[in-house]
Amino acid sequence: MKSSLIALLPLAALAIAPSCTPSKATDAPKVSVAWEGVNLPADSTGANHYKQTITVTGDLRGVDRIGFNQFARRMQPVNPADTIIEIVPGYYAIGSPAFANATGTDTLTFEIITRGSLMSVCYSPDGFHLINHDGTTEAAAYTRRPLSDKAESYTAGGVDRMPYGDAVYAINERVMPTAARGVYDVVPSFKQVQLGEGESTVNPAEADFKPLAGAEHEGEYRITVADGKMTIEAPEKMWPALQRRITHNFGTEAVTLPNVVITDWPSMPYRGMMIDVARNFQSPEEIRRVLDLMAVYGLNTFHFHLVDDEAWRLEIEALPELTEMGSRRGYAVNPDADFLPQIFAGDGNPFTSAGSANGYYTRQEYIDLLRYADSLGIAVIPEMESPGHARAAIKAMELRARRTGDRSMLLSEEGDTSKYTSAQAFHDNVMNPALDGPYKLMDVLADELIALHNEAGVPLPAIHIGGDEVPHGAWSGSPAVAELMKKEGLKSEKDVHAYFVRKVSENYAKKGIPMSAWQEVALKHADDYNKTVIPAIYSINCWSTLPSQGQGSVVNSIAGAGYPVVLSNVDYFYLDMMYSPHPDERGLSWGGWNDEFTALSGYPARLCTVPGANVLGVQGQIWSETVRDAATLETMLLPKMLGLAERGWNPDSTYTDPAFQAVIVSEIPKWEAAGYTYHVRQPGIKLTDGGKSFTVNSPYPDAVLRYTFDGLTPTESSQEIKAGENVAVGDASQIRVRLWLNGHPSVVSILNTGK
């Protein structure tokens, strides 16, 4: 087992853990864990580090170690008697002689120096659990100290990324609504609105649907409000989705509306949303709620990211090991375990139904989701990651070989000495294109997906094969790949990757199934490859706007080669990025910070400038490394997905920021009524009267704002302040303000007064 361990427990201690170790059932965790982190000055080499303090309190009798998850980092315990093992990248366990002396009411404190910087709450640990002498695990209660509590917790490498109150005040001023939303201001916005004279009282739930004659655009429809009636003319296949949108926008009871003729259509045929359920699972019920949101905001393609390194989430009848192993995660150090190691979060138990670590969709659940999506006018594209991001599949096929003796489906080669590290720090997550197993697997998956969609009576537009992030050196030590390269005249790893993609595309073409993929499949390949592969491609998701070898953007390079492009750019449409650099915001930041206005500014014509390019549309992505539950998923979606929806429907025109915020404010009661969780922007703070007083602002007219002067984050019992009100600062050195909207709290805003 490859490892970057700083300190290792004896191998004998690891060997005692059985391959399958269910957690002990307890009414409540017997141990609590408290975490605090602070950034440290850079060391003599200029490298950043931070110190983590982990305090464990409770009954520790019988406990060997404390397990937890964290983004893969090098760690060193401050106490040389303590040890840290890396079970897999991102899964760690702390050991200490102090465990052996536990008496039943113990408090142990561990200090760990960790390479890198604390960028946000998502860089702190998660998934703390006890690892007992007998190999069982138990969940631990867990609390974090917010990074916003201390400046040294959010200032790293001399860089303070906190969005302070005065900067937020200026942003709020820019986006605050200057007028109420117009009755026909919706997302996505209507193309043509011709107001008539007078008003009509109508019930949108009882609108009269009729076929539309003489449409000039694909997906065109017309809404007429006149003479006390609402009439909707549209192709019959659009009626269910339009009914959902109309009642969302105008209600389900009698309402008085200005007489109007609205003519509307989507400008882009592909308006997508990708949800990653591999890293952290979402229930079928929650996926339906996501589909509901897609329908009311005019999105029509659901990219279902079902598999990745960390899990396999779809039942494949011919290969039950894929879900038996790939849908369960827990404390696993035995190489023959029949589940995957815990990653991101969990309690060490591969059998628990709590949390987001375990779970998969049965065939029937997938079929039901297909039918539900189809009823809303939404197509489903399932993703089967290959040849990279394949660790779950690789391990599952190893389990199958051990059980059946059939080695024909193995995805990796014995004797392969390749050394590589993937983007997620794995060293064993790439299929070997020189073996038969990967192609057999991809064939089985295609046949199963075709059967599932046929049984559902729902078209299969394409199978997404992933194709991204194959790390350098993935096949450098493979005898089979060396032989393949010699036989086929392949000169590089890129050629090996291209060989795999071409072979899969040809096999899928024989089955009549188009292929989708990420940009790596289409970027900077030879002309003969492009001529072979392009006819088999349904869509290419371009996620990067960075220059490509000095020849324009990645998008332009791929579009210029003739591929059909879906703009999925990280800096506009990765909805899992943090809303802002505030350290208490959830999400990642490697692609910047994306809020509801970022996606709105993602104009397709600016992202791809190739004349005549085949740009199908736009797609939002939520990768789920930081998503632990349905509430977090919804918070990432709302309100960000409204900007995405507007750009997909209307790529060349938009609301102003204040007008868009007015629409968002009007949508919030609808989210409340449906029980959705949503993100709330933070308040602004500005000093007034020469620094003697302060005032606050809020992008929401009915938010409740509260403040403190004592350095503590405001609670719902703190002193209230009204937007625009001036309050004396006195001798306070820091002002902290927080807002609540319908009970949903913002992150805290901070302003240092200089006193």
Side-chain angles (χ1 to χ4, degrees):
M1 179 174 62
K2 296 177 183 177
S3 179
S4 58
L5 305 185
I6 302 300
L8 296 174
L9 288 175
L11 293 178
L14 294 178
I16 64 169
S19 63
C20 192
T21 55
S23 293
K24 291 182 177 179
T26 57
D27 293 332
K30 68 178 187 179
V31 169
S32 62
V33 176
W35 175 89
E36 180 179 348
V38 293
N39 285 297
L40 302 174
D43 66 14
S44 59
T45 69
N48 290 327
H49 295 78
Y50 56 97
K51 183 174 75 172
Q52 306 188 73
T53 302
I54 298 169
T55 304
V56 183
T57 304
D59 185 355
L60 297 173
R61 289 173 296 181
V63 175
D64 270 349
R65 295 179 291 281
I66 298 289
F68 65 97
N69 294 109
Q70 194 168 13
F71 290 136
R73 297 287 185 270
R74 296 182 64 84
M75 301 184 192
Q76 176 69 53
V78 172
N79 185 341
D82 297 335
T83 55
I84 300 175
I85 64 166
E86 181 188 70
I87 298 170
V88 294
Y91 185 18
Y92 301 92
I94 303 171
S96 173
F99 286 123
N101 300 319
T103 63
T105 54
D106 301 278
T107 297
L108 301 181
T109 299
F110 302 96
E111 292 184 322
I112 302 170
I113 305 301
T114 305
R115 182 71 176 265
S117 300
L118 282 171
M119 310 294 282
S120 76
V121 62
C122 292
Y123 289 81
S124 62
D126 207 342
F128 278 100
H129 56 279
L130 313 180
I131 302 168
N132 297 315
H133 293 329
D134 59 5
T136 59
T137 63
E138 297 180 62
Y142 179 39
T143 57
R144 299 181 181 94
R145 182 166 184 174
L147 295 181
S148 58
D149 276 6
K150 292 182 176 182
E152 57 262 46
S153 292
Y154 57 80
T155 302
V159 177
D160 182 351
R161 302 197 311 172
M162 174 67 76
Y164 284 100
D166 50 353
V168 176
Y169 193 98
I171 293 171
N172 287 346
E173 278 195 320
R174 177 177 60 80
V175 305
M176 280 192 297
T178 54
R181 161 191 171 264
V183 67
Y184 293 125
D185 291 339
V186 300
V187 171
S189 56
F190 295 130
K191 287 284 195 307
Q192 299 172 3
V193 178
Q194 296 177 307
L195 291 171
E197 295 184 1
E199 299 176 329
S200 291
T201 299
V202 300
N203 187 337
E206 298 173 356
D208 185 16
F209 280 82
K210 297 179 179 180
L212 176 65
E216 297 182 14
H217 307 275
E218 180 70 24
E220 183 175 335
Y221 67 98
R222 184 176 300 122
I223 303 172
T224 303
V225 176
D227 302 323
K229 295 188 302 183
M230 175 180 279
T231 304
I232 301 174
E233 300 168 85
E236 189 171 352
K237 67 180 181 180
M238 293 176 59
W239 290 1
L242 279 174
Q243 180 69 77
R244 183 70 65 97
R245 290 187 65 200
I246 295 305
T247 54
H248 173 83
N249 287 322
F250 303 114
T252 57
E253 298 178 353
V255 61
T256 300
L257 298 172
N259 289 332
V260 73
V261 176
I262 296 170
T263 305
D264 194 23
W265 64 91
S267 292
M268 309 197 86
Y270 188 113
R271 304 176 304 282
M273 188 69 233
M274 187 219 78
I275 303 293
D276 165 18
V277 296
R279 273 59 179 269
N280 283 288
F281 187 65
Q282 297 289 340
S283 70
E285 293 74 23
E286 182 59 22
I287 296 302
R288 287 188 181 88
R289 287 170 60 79
V290 171
L291 293 169
D292 288 341
L293 288 172
M294 292 178 63
V296 300
Y297 296 123
L299 302 178
N300 68 347
T301 304
F302 182 53
H303 177 169
F304 210 173
H305 189 85
L306 290 157
V307 307
D308 215 296
D309 292 318
E310 299 88 353
W312 189 284
R313 303 298 192 184
L314 178 63
E315 179 184 14
I316 302 297
E317 202 167 52
L319 297 170
E321 293 84 4
L322 287 170
T323 46
E324 181 181 346
M325 168 168 269
S327 72
R328 298 186 299 134
R329 301 197 293 242
Y331 174 58
V333 292
N334 187 329
D336 292 335
D338 56 4
F339 56 89
L340 296 173
Q342 178 168 303
I343 199 74
F344 302 121
D347 61 7
N349 182 5
F351 298 103
T352 185
S353 59
S356 56
N358 304 329
Y360 68 93
Y361 306 103
T362 66
R363 295 182 81 260
Q364 190 58 52
E365 286 172 334
Y366 183 73
I367 288 169
D368 291 345
L369 287 173
L370 290 177
R371 290 171 176 164
Y372 190 74
D374 187 62
S375 74
L376 300 175
I378 297 171
V380 177
I381 297 177
E383 182 171 359
M384 303 284 112
E385 278 275 23
S386 63
H389 286 281
R391 189 175 193 275
I394 290 169
K395 297 304 177 184
M397 292 302 94
E398 290 175 359
L399 174 64
R400 182 179 184 275
R402 291 196 299 271
R403 286 183 172 175
T404 67
D406 179 3
R407 307 179 66 78
S408 66
M409 295 290 289
L410 286 174
L411 309 178
S412 57
E413 177 189 16
E414 285 189 44
D416 186 345
T417 60
S418 301
K419 296 187 188 315
Y420 61 89
T421 301
S422 74
Q424 283 71 36
F426 291 110
H427 316 297
D428 54 356
N429 76 328
V430 182
M431 298 178 183
N432 189 317
L435 306 181
D436 291 335
Y439 307 105
K440 289 184 177 181
L441 174 66
M442 299 303 283
D443 258 6
V444 169
L445 297 179
D447 292 342
E448 290 263 2
L449 289 167
I450 291 169
L452 285 165
H453 282 250
N454 285 342
E455 188 172 341
V458 174
L460 174 60
I463 295 174
H464 202 294
I465 70 160
D468 58 314
E469 293 190 326
V470 173
H472 176 69
W475 304 301
S476 57
S478 166
V481 167
E483 183 177 341
L484 175 70
M485 294 178 72
K486 182 178 180 180
K487 177 182 176 182
E488 299 291 335
L490 308 177
K491 305 298 184 184
S492 65
E493 288 183 348
K494 188 176 182 69
D495 289 346
V496 176
H497 185 272
Y499 175 88
F500 173 84
V501 172
R502 186 184 303 200
K503 190 167 180 177
V504 172
S505 70
E506 290 171 348
N507 289 344
Y508 281 15
K510 292 175 184 176
K511 300 175 187 290
I513 299 299
M515 186 175 78
S516 292
W518 295 103
Q519 66 186 34
E520 288 87 336
V521 163
L523 185 60
K524 298 298 180 185
H525 286 283
D527 288 344
D528 65 326
Y529 170 91
N530 290 335
K531 289 177 182 177
T532 302
V533 172
I534 287 175
I537 294 293
Y538 181 83
S539 59
I540 294 293
N541 295 96
C542 292
W543 58 266
S544 173
T545 52
L546 297 175
S548 176
Q549 300 178 1
Q551 299 180 28
S553 74
V554 168
V555 177
N556 283 351
S557 176
I558 292 171
Y563 286 91
V565 166
V566 174
L567 299 171
S568 309
N569 307 69
V570 60
D571 37 358
Y572 293 95
F573 303 129
Y574 270 37
L575 307 190
D576 60 295
M577 294 293 116
M578 298 167 65
Y579 273 88
S580 82
H582 194 291
D584 294 339
E585 291 279 17
R586 292 202 67 83
L588 297 176
S589 60
W590 64 269
W593 306 289
N594 295 344
D595 65 8
E596 53 268 46
F597 300 99
T598 308
L600 186 68
S601 62
Y603 290 97
R606 298 177 188 172
L607 298 177
C608 180
T609 59
V610 175
N614 186 10
V615 178
L616 302 179
V618 299
Q619 178 171 288
Q621 283 67 230
I622 290 189
W623 303 101
S624 67
E625 293 98 327
T626 67
V627 177
R628 302 287 184 264
D629 50 33
T632 305
L633 173 64
E634 292 172 8
T635 302
M636 293 293 188
L637 286 169
L638 298 173
K640 287 186 188 183
M641 72 182 299
L642 275 66
L644 168 76
E646 180 66 18
R647 283 290 69 81
W649 198 274
N650 299 302
D652 301 321
S653 61
T654 188
Y655 291 103
T656 64
D657 286 352
F660 191 63
Q661 179 66 14
V663 175
I664 289 172
V665 168
S666 72
E667 290 293 287
I668 288 173
K670 302 170 189 176
W671 302 338
E672 280 285 325
Y676 286 101
T677 307
Y678 50 90
H679 181 264
V680 176
R681 299 181 71 88
Q682 66 188 97
I685 314 172
K686 183 174 72 171
L687 293 175
T688 57
D689 191 23
K692 296 177 182 178
S693 304
F694 78 98
T695 190
V696 297
N697 66 2
S698 162
Y700 313 103
D702 51 353
V704 176
L705 298 101
R706 299 184 183 276
Y707 70 93
T708 60
F709 288 149
D710 59 5
L712 298 178
T713 294
T715 67
E716 289 184 274
S717 61
S718 298
Q719 184 68 39
E720 185 174 352
I721 181 173
K722 302 293 185 183
E725 177 184 0
N726 283 281
V727 173
V729 173
D731 60 358
S733 61
Q734 187 180 85
I735 307 164
R736 289 181 172 239
V737 181
R738 201 176 182 195
L739 70 77
W740 282 261
L741 183 65
N742 303 317
H744 297 275
S746 71
V747 295
V748 64
S749 291
I750 300 172
L751 184 63
N752 297 314
T753 67
K755 296 184 178 182

